[in-house]
Amino acid sequence: MGIYMGMLLLAGAAITFWNTIRWKNLVRKHGFAMVFLFLISFLPQVAVANNEVLFVPATGQTCFGDTGSGFIPGDDHLELFRRLVTGQTPDEEEFIDFTSQLPDPANDFDIAWTFLFYDDCDFTNSFKPLSYFCEEAYSSENLKVIILEDTETGPATLWYVHEKSYPVFLEDWGEVNMGDWATLYDFILWGKANYPADRYILTLYDHGGGWMGACIDVTSGDYLNMDEIGNAIDEAGGVDIIAFTAPCIMGALESAYELRDCVDVYIGSENVSGFIYWMGIIDDICDILNDSSALSNSEIGSLIIDLVEYNNNTSPYAEWMTMSAVDQTRIQDFTEPLDELVVYMIENMDELGPNIQTARQNAWCMGMGTSSFPEIDLYDYLLLCSEIVTDPFMLDKLLEIRQNFTPAIINNCHGSSEERAHGLSIYFPPTEGSFNIQYGNADLDFADYTQWNEFLEAYYDWQQTGIAGGTAVSNPGISVNPNPFSNATRVTYTCPSSENIDLAVFDISGRAVRTLTYGMVEGGTHSISWDGRNHLGSLVPTGVYICVLKTENGSIASAMVILVR
């Protein structure tokens, strides 16, 4: 009876720990035989008393019942188990000396892929994914994995991930500015020089702000705008795939367009995001890269999206999850006719303004359903326009854009609350007061090379002059300056008439951070300062926040702001 109970408990333990411990990685590190022998070493004693099961391996014990649950430290077996899971190697065991087996880059001329992870943890209360990443990632003859990690409290360090899923320290880079394009450039160039490969994948971790960029560095008070990211990758010779593995709202057309000439496949989320979407599939991505000789970059991008979708079926954030892979070689196939449509709408704004406004009011917004969020799903907006306009030229152009858009999205996944997310968003604040003037001054190729910025200006002019029916279109507005900010910023808002308002700050997930003001205000322009604190007076961490103005008649305006501590 005891041996059967022990076997049952052993099977239960294996199932319980399957997802958290990643048995496949343990077997890869130490071999099946060693892991199996380790597991059966727990079987020596099983006692059943008073309807309680006590699992007693050697001198330690794991108790199930009123006495509690979980491993009790102090047992040699449990210490070995801990070391197996964490990758620590006790001197008395004949484990591999990983650092002594670091491959000589000069001998690796046939590498298929080099995986570059730009791990920017230099922000307040940051989650540090290095250990989780290394637990899953691995290098091989075909694949080399390199990490640059910078934290708020320590220097930047360069790591190589061994074939046994073990991080090997390479270099101390000292204090670096991860928000400086030169750091990203140096990292890519270092990886290419030391581990040259046929193809390269670059992943970035930190906060994101869509067209504004990503990777905030608190120590330096800086961040990477999209022009800097593009310059770094382009100057380093480009990469095959880029994936924003945590930054929010990076599934923006402006961001993808910026990298169209230096990246083949662009992966990002239209909505909020986080490394939780990627935990559990890094090893699967390595498997794909390791055996990818017959796969194109697009096919690999599609497989990665499939993994993200499968991995998040039961995630607590699955409802709001979005992720897409974009074929950068096709991006101009739909942006060129989009620009032609935009020029036409500018020229005919008096006639088309009401339809443009109706479609914008009903378009699917990002930001976990925040209706006033400045980013909207591009395809959804085009589809709404095609349902309400009657202009023949506009209808033909809308159809052409949609037909060319679809093949540019290699693969797209989304949660149940994001069914109208089709892969790329575009910046389209509902009112001029919500418009960030930096959009036209951020060296964005999309704003500089197309007429989208001019279209927004023409649309807001139409709203103010009241062409529709001779009645001025009255909308509240909001803007934030400076943006990004460190200590305090000024929120300026405009109300068309005297009415009750509610002006509040939310984080990117939609949680209320602080109410700045509420109650009756006179019509006109007002401003108020926000010092980066929540309603309890505590400093909020570095990140992306949304200032939302609501009026009693139901109008809403919002502005995105980046806080850099």
Side-chain angles (χ1 to χ4, degrees), residues 346-553:
I346 293 173
E347 295 172 349
N348 298 274
M349 186 60 69
D350 291 356
E351 177 186 350
L352 299 175
N355 288 335
I356 294 171
Q357 180 171 255
T358 299
R360 173 59 185 87
Q361 290 172 340
N362 293 283
W364 188 250
C365 296
M366 298 302 106
M368 297 185 75
T370 305
S371 61
S372 62
F373 206 75
E375 274 76 20
I376 62 172
D377 183 82
L378 174 59
Y379 189 93
D380 185 70
Y381 178 74
L382 298 172
L383 193 61
L384 288 171
C385 285
S386 67
E387 294 173 352
I388 60 177
V389 302
T390 58
D391 182 284
F393 177 86
M394 192 169 177
L395 285 171
D396 288 344
K397 198 56 66 174
L398 285 165
L399 179 60
E400 179 185 357
I401 299 167
R402 297 201 314 276
Q403 288 176 336
N404 291 348
F405 178 92
T406 300
I409 305 301
I410 300 167
N411 199 357
N412 172 47
C413 66
H414 50 74
S416 59
S417 293
E418 297 290 339
E419 293 182 353
R420 290 167 63 186
H422 295 83
L424 283 173
S425 65
I426 194 167
Y427 186 67
F428 193 170
T431 64
E432 183 177 18
S434 304
F435 178 73
N436 188 336
I437 60 174
Q438 292 181 348
Y439 183 78
N441 302 307
D443 292 323
L444 285 171
D445 284 357
F446 188 75
D448 293 341
Y449 298 161
T450 75
Q451 297 294 305
W452 185 256
N453 191 45
E454 288 76 9
F455 161 72
L456 294 177
E457 293 175 355
Y459 173 65
Y460 299 140
D461 287 344
W462 173 83
Q463 284 186 325
Q464 294 304 315
T465 55
I467 300 299
T471 303
V473 181
S474 299
N475 291 287
I478 185 172
S479 61
V480 183
N481 189 51
N483 186 13
F485 76 100
S486 297
N487 298 316
T489 189
R490 197 132 201 103
V491 181
T492 301
Y493 60 99
T494 303
C495 297
S497 59
S498 298
E499 56 186 326
N500 285 302
I501 67 158
D502 186 343
L503 176 60
V505 179
F506 296 82
D507 64 19
I508 196 67
S509 65
R511 293 188 294 265
V513 173
R514 182 176 175 180
T515 296
L516 299 180
T517 186
Y518 66 94
M520 179 65 68
V521 297
E522 297 294 326
T525 300
H526 311 268
S527 67
I528 189 170
S529 178
W530 180 42
D531 59 3
R533 297 178 182 271
N534 61 19
H535 65 284
L536 297 176
S538 301
L539 293 172
V540 297
T542 292
V544 179
Y545 296 87
I546 311 296
C547 297
V548 178
L549 173 65
K550 298 180 181 180
T551 65
E552 62 181 319
N553 65 11

Side-chain angles (χ1 to χ4, degrees), residues 115-128:
F115 190 149
L116 302 166
F117 182 27
Y118 194 71
D119 184 13
D120 180 8
C121 303
D122 195 340
F123 60 93
T124 309
N125 298 327
S126 66
F127 169 77
K128 298 172 180 58

Side-chain angles (χ1 to χ4, degrees), residues 39-297:
L39 287 173
I40 64 174
S41 68
F42 280 88
L43 287 178
Q45 302 180 53
V46 176
V48 181
N50 299 323
N51 296 321
E52 290 184 330
V53 179
L54 302 180
F55 184 19
V56 189
T59 59
Q61 64 178 2
T62 298
C63 303
F64 302 87
D66 294 338
T67 53
S69 63
F71 290 118
I72 298 176
D75 178 69
D76 292 340
H77 295 79
L78 300 179
E79 177 63 14
L80 174 59
F81 183 81
R82 182 184 66 80
R83 287 170 172 165
L84 280 169
V85 175
T86 61
Q88 297 181 18
T89 54
D91 295 334
E92 67 272 13
E93 301 291 343
E94 295 182 357
F95 285 90
I96 296 174
D97 179 1
F98 294 106
T99 55
S100 67
Q101 296 197 10
L102 183 64
D104 180 3
N107 295 326
D108 288 316
F109 291 113
D110 298 321
I111 303 173
W113 282 92
T114 293
F115 190 149
L116 302 166
F117 182 27
Y118 194 71
D119 184 13
D120 180 8
C121 303
D122 195 340
F123 60 93
T124 309
N125 298 327
S126 66
F127 169 77
K128 298 172 180 58
L130 179 64
S131 60
Y132 296 91
F133 182 90
C134 291
E135 181 185 317
E136 299 183 47
Y138 65 89
S139 294
S140 67
E141 291 184 358
N142 297 324
L143 169 67
K144 305 303 176 187
V145 183
I146 309 297
I147 306 168
L148 176 64
E149 183 188 58
D150 184 32
T151 65
E152 188 179 7
T153 57
T157 48
L158 197 65
W159 301 84
Y160 171 87
V161 181
H162 194 272
E163 63 182 16
K164 301 293 185 178
S165 297
Y166 191 89
V168 179
F169 175 80
L170 296 177
E171 295 180 11
D172 183 333
W173 279 22
E175 177 52 44
V176 300
N177 178 6
M178 298 287 275
D180 185 346
W181 79 274
T183 304
L184 178 59
Y185 166 78
D186 288 343
F187 174 54
I188 299 172
L189 210 61
W190 191 98
K192 287 188 172 186
N194 289 274
Y195 296 97
D198 296 332
R199 292 185 280 182
Y200 300 90
I201 180 171
L202 170 67
T203 64
L204 290 85
Y205 170 80
D206 196 344
H207 288 290
W211 61 266
M212 290 185 177
C215 293
I216 298 167
D217 188 295
V218 170
T219 303
S220 304
D222 199 3
Y223 71 101
L224 289 170
N225 62 40
M226 287 311 305
D227 182 60
E228 291 176 315
I229 295 175
N231 286 340
I233 297 174
D234 186 52
E235 290 294 326
V239 297
D240 295 271
I241 300 174
I242 187 170
F244 292 90
T245 55
C248 298
I249 58 176
M250 294 307 297
L253 172 57
E254 296 89 346
S255 300
Y257 189 88
E258 193 73 25
L259 307 184
R260 69 198 181 282
D261 295 327
C262 57
V263 172
D264 285 345
V265 176
Y266 179 101
I267 297 176
S269 170
E270 287 187 81
N271 206 347
V272 296
S273 186
F275 197 75
I276 189 174
Y277 290 165
W278 300 82
M279 289 174 63
I281 62 171
I282 299 299
D283 58 337
D284 300 301
I285 294 174
C286 288
D287 289 344
I288 293 171
L289 299 176
N290 189 43
D291 187 23
S292 63
S293 58
L295 297 176
S296 67
N297 291 335

